[in-house]
Amino acid sequence: MSNTSDKFNDLRALFINCSIKKDKTESHTQRLMNRVAGVMEQEGASVEHIYALDHAIAFGMVKDGADSGQADDWPAIQAKIMKADILVLGTPIWLGVKSSVATLVIERMYAYSGDHNDKDQYLYYGKTAGCVITGNEDGIKHCSMDLLYALQHIGYTIPPQADCGWIGEAGPGPSYGDVVEGRAEPVGYDNDFTNRNATFMAWNLMHMARLLKDNGGIPAKGNTTKGWEHVTNAKHQNPEYR
Amino acid sequence: MSNTSDKFNDLRALFINCSIKKDKTESHTQRLMNRVAGVMEQEGASVEHIYALDHAIAFGMVKDGADSGQADDWPAIQAKIMKADILVLGTPIWLGVKSSVATLVIERMYAYSGDHNDKDQYLYYGKTAGCVITGNEDGIKHCSMDLLYALQHIGYTIPPQADCGWIGEAGPGPSYGDVVEGRAEPVGYDNDFTNRNATFMAWNLMHMARLLKDNGGIPAKGNTTKGWEHVTNAKHQNPEYR
Amino acid sequence: MSNTSDKFNDLRALFINCSIKKDKTESHTQRLMNRVAGVMEQEGASVEHIYALDHAIAFGMVKDGADSGQADDWPAIQAKIMKADILVLGTPIWLGVKSSVATLVIERMYAYSGDHNDKDQYLYYGKTAGCVITGNEDGIKHCSMDLLYALQHIGYTIPPQADCGWIGEAGPGPSYGDVVEGRAEPVGYDNDFTNRNATFMAWNLMHMARLLKDNGGIPAKGNTTKGWEHVTNAKHQNPEYR
Amino acid sequence: MSNTSDKFNDLRALFINCSIKKDKTESHTQRLMNRVAGVMEQEGASVEHIYALDHAIAFGMVKDGADSGQADDWPAIQAKIMKADILVLGTPIWLGVKSSVATLVIERMYAYSGDHNDKDQYLYYGKTAGCVITGNEDGIKHCSMDLLYALQHIGYTIPPQADCGWIGEAGPGPSYGDVVEGRAEPVGYDNDFTNRNATFMAWNLMHMARLLKDNGGIPAKGNTTKGWEHVTNAKHQNPEYR
């Protein structure tokens, strides 16, 4: 099946895998990320993947860890984030929550959040984001609410159903993509709920990126640090019960 | 200051206050909701307020509690939700989490989420939502991530910075709008961070509602239960590591 | 298999099911609660069950809703909570979070939390608590962290592994105890991870209740609102970096 | 004020600060941790502090990162955790959640959680834990529920009110211990709610550690991976509605 139009040819998507495994070939999350990325690529969008642990990423609410003597590849990653219209973060679930690496990635993005885009809005305005979650136990929604909240808080628009994930039945067991005797396909590959959500997510991110790009992002009125007091604003509204 | 255009005259916003206080005049959350609503009204949008506890709302994953013999005003509330372009949920914080009433409201909205809009997408596609949180202690972000996640999961688009809130310093103390001796204004009214966020939120919801309305909502491709398998989809993408 | 001693004969456990289903016979959560309760009964503890929605429970941070004209059975439920050494809350998962009814139950318990026990500690000191979670999708740990945090915050001691739950593979599907063609047992009944956790939880709650009861609860030093300033306390410690 | 007895002389407490600041002297969280630690020291307990970022800690669900070629000081930290009766984790709040470093510390502790103690229970059984949270904005309870849940899940007992924290009024502002013109004391130092909670937490952790130590930990019945099927257990209880 080939793509049906050139509609998304100018869109760039960046996928950052926040697995805690040193060897990226062992990441189960990457497999589901690949499926989401595949939809976008087939529809013409440019996709780039970053495996976070392939890079030295400094700790701290800092733009460049080099300033405090830490090895830090983040500034180069940040440049890629700024070029992308769509950001997808992937995380495994450990103890029901997102990974340390995902937390670190969010912290470093947050360190830039006081910067502004060319409309004087917060830096990430005009972009859209989603997330991919896998684990063998439990916690897709909890990880998603954590990640998607952070992303909208710093300026991303979150379209409907912007996450997808796979977990198995309660308890330890195979992870997404593991080959298990007696199952025709690797675990999770034939899960229609996961495949449907991955599809919805991919398309909704492309639709929203298209919408934002064609309309010049979010209009810069009422949402800039310098301008909000000069337009209709909350400070001058009567809070008393009506 | 009057509104500067007719840009938002056709937008409808619904505000549902999920306070747990029987007497709505005691709700602190309502005061901050009023400020957000005031911005929208001044810019020409139609605003309607519902105080959830003024209504009998049945428990259960049901569309109409009357079917199980419960008094239930929900179907009328649901009709208002469907007419609105913008939904704002307000909740107080108790023990760091959203209220029982907010949880109930989300559950009842979820009960309809299998229904479809006129493009055969999930019911709430094409609409946008945000939330207002107040408490005297702690928990704005936790409540917001919970509410905004639920809303995007059932189909709403979440624009940047779609929440606002007020809390005091750690520990018990006055709530938003309480009059305290020695303070020129009721507590929180002069908090510029809260006023700014309330303003950003109001405008971003209007901008996103405008964008969605002018573009016919989210395009119906790749995100319908009947159609996703017939377009580029995740099931046919190679998940293996590349 | 009969119990092996009289060790737990004097313990009382209260199980409150916070399902949102009006008809309690349809609750899947009850089935897993019954298994936990069964262990305690077999070991000699007295067990009582409350199905929350069998009762009128008023909203509000109030001890008795009757004071504000609401029908309210809570004071009688509260009396049972106070008599119990062990409290187990059960909740279904909806949209990844605990139910509205569970939130309501916690709010009403919290409304009493300023009261004191006979040692002048907060009311629930000296008791122990856990929770049981079921759903067909995802969210055991998120619901547990929410419930167990609230319970320890108001005074309960949380022993190790004080929760258990069951969910199925990602996506809609059968719930705990549903009979499905081709499976020898109702769904989840043969899940050893769930059975093991349910067992650990039941025993750890009994062990902790025993320990607390035999030792007169938590010693009343450093943890009373009237007394903490008269013993070694944080206010007089040097916070500066050492 | 000196301690009033030798009651806690044999207890060891370990405090791990999970700040994301490279320079530990800048950590605000450390200041509140010092107050909690001070109470314990004054009462005779041995206290040791670890500043996580002073050490190389490898990523991964591994016991020793050296096995995968990563610099890793964790095994030495783990040895200290095993010697301590009381564990206190401290974290700053960023975007409403616990830090990347706190997430990393929990992951590494979890990597050992399949090991057993000398009673064949999970490794951390018989120990007790709490947490200290600071930020300038919002999120104490959310961070606490996340940390305390993880700790009880791997075997720690959580006594009542096992957390304390400080945040300021909504919005950016000074952090715990910052010196601000016009305030007699550094910010937060005179907050009685924070001081009281810090005191309750310190004492409850000592009381629980005492209780557990004097009683030989949690009795090893019904809570071991090898033994649970041979005692009264959930698998043999009737789940059907009664």
Side-chain angles (χ1 to χ4, degrees), chain D residues 23-82:
Chain D
D23 178 354
K24 68 182 163 194
T25 65
E26 292 176 2
S27 168
H28 298 93
T29 306
Q30 186 65 49
R31 294 178 172 130
L32 186 51
M33 294 180 82
N34 288 341
R35 285 208 150 165
V36 176
V39 173
M40 294 188 190
E41 282 179 321
Q42 195 174 329
E43 286 295 319
S46 305
V47 169
E48 183 170 359
H49 287 278
I50 293 178
Y51 191 80
L53 281 190
D54 277 350
H55 304 269
I57 304 179
F59 288 100
M61 198 49 50
V62 295
K63 288 189 179 179
D64 190 344
D67 299 340
S68 50
Q70 300 180 79
D72 195 9
D73 297 338
W74 188 262
I77 297 174
Q78 182 70 24
K80 288 176 192 283
I81 290 172
M82 294 320 301

Side-chain angles (χ1 to χ4, degrees), chain C residues 6-19:
Chain C
D6 297 336
K7 201 174 169 190
F8 304 119
N9 279 359
D10 61 333
L11 297 182
R12 288 162 180 262
L14 181 66
F15 283 66
I16 305 182
N17 183 342
C18 301
S19 168

Side-chain angles (χ1 to χ4, degrees), chain B residues 3-106:
Chain B
N3 65 309
T4 48
S5 75
D6 297 336
K7 201 174 168 190
F8 304 119
N9 279 358
D10 61 332
L11 296 183
R12 290 162 179 261
L14 181 67
F15 283 66
I16 305 182
N17 184 341
C18 302
S19 167
I20 62 172
K21 293 189 173 125
K22 259 323 247 184
D23 178 354
K24 67 184 166 193
T25 65
E26 292 175 5
S27 168
H28 298 93
T29 306
Q30 186 65 49
R31 294 177 173 132
L32 186 51
M33 295 180 81
N34 288 341
R35 285 208 151 167
V36 176
V39 173
M40 294 189 190
E41 282 180 322
Q42 195 175 331
E43 286 296 318
S46 304
V47 170
E48 182 170 358
H49 287 278
I50 292 178
Y51 190 81
L53 281 189
D54 276 351
H55 304 270
I57 303 179
F59 287 100
M61 198 49 52
V62 294
K63 289 189 178 178
D64 189 345
D67 298 340
S68 50
Q70 300 179 78
D72 194 9
D73 297 337
W74 188 263
I77 297 174
Q78 181 70 22
K80 288 176 193 282
I81 290 172
M82 294 320 301
K83 277 191 197 141
D85 306 293
I86 296 170
L87 177 69
V88 175
L89 298 182
T91 185
I93 308 169
W94 291 105
L95 269 171
V97 299
K98 71 182 192 300
S99 73
S100 53
V101 178
T103 313
L104 177 57
V105 162
I106 290 284

Side-chain angles (χ1 to χ4, degrees), chain C residues 4 43 125 161 221 232, chain D residues 4 24 43 125 161 221 232:
Chain C
T4 47
E43 286 297 317
Y125 266 64
Q161 302 185 283
K221 188 170 182 188
T232 303
Chain D
T4 46
K24 68 182 163 194
E43 286 295 319
Y125 267 64
Q161 302 185 286
K221 188 171 183 187
T232 303

Side-chain angles (χ1 to χ4, degrees), chain C residues 125 222-223, chain D residues 15 36 39-40 86-89 129-133 159-165 195-207:
Chain C
Y125 266 64
N223 52 22
Chain D
F15 284 66
V36 176
V39 173
M40 294 188 190
I86 296 170
L87 177 69
V88 175
L89 298 182
C131 60
V132 173
I133 319 287
Q161 302 185 286
D163 60 331
C164 68
N195 287 328
R196 192 205 66 174
N197 287 0
T199 304
F200 280 26
M201 171 188 172
W203 279 94
N204 285 339
L205 287 170
M206 291 190 293
H207 290 317

Side-chain angles (χ1 to χ4, degrees), chain B residues 26 43 65 69 91 115 122 136 160 173 186 215 217:
Chain B
E26 292 175 5
E43 286 296 318
T91 185
D115 287 1
Y122 281 122
N136 57 5
N215 288 275

Side-chain angles (χ1 to χ4, degrees), chain A residues 93-97 138 142, chain C residues 141 145, chain D residues 61 106-107 110 146 149-151 153-154:
Chain A
I93 309 168
W94 289 107
L95 268 170
V97 300
D138 174 71
H142 191 210
Chain C
K141 290 192 181 67
M145 71 180 70
Chain D
M61 198 49 50
I106 290 284
E107 285 168 357
Y110 188 39
D146 191 329
Y149 178 74
L151 291 163
H153 190 77
I154 60 175

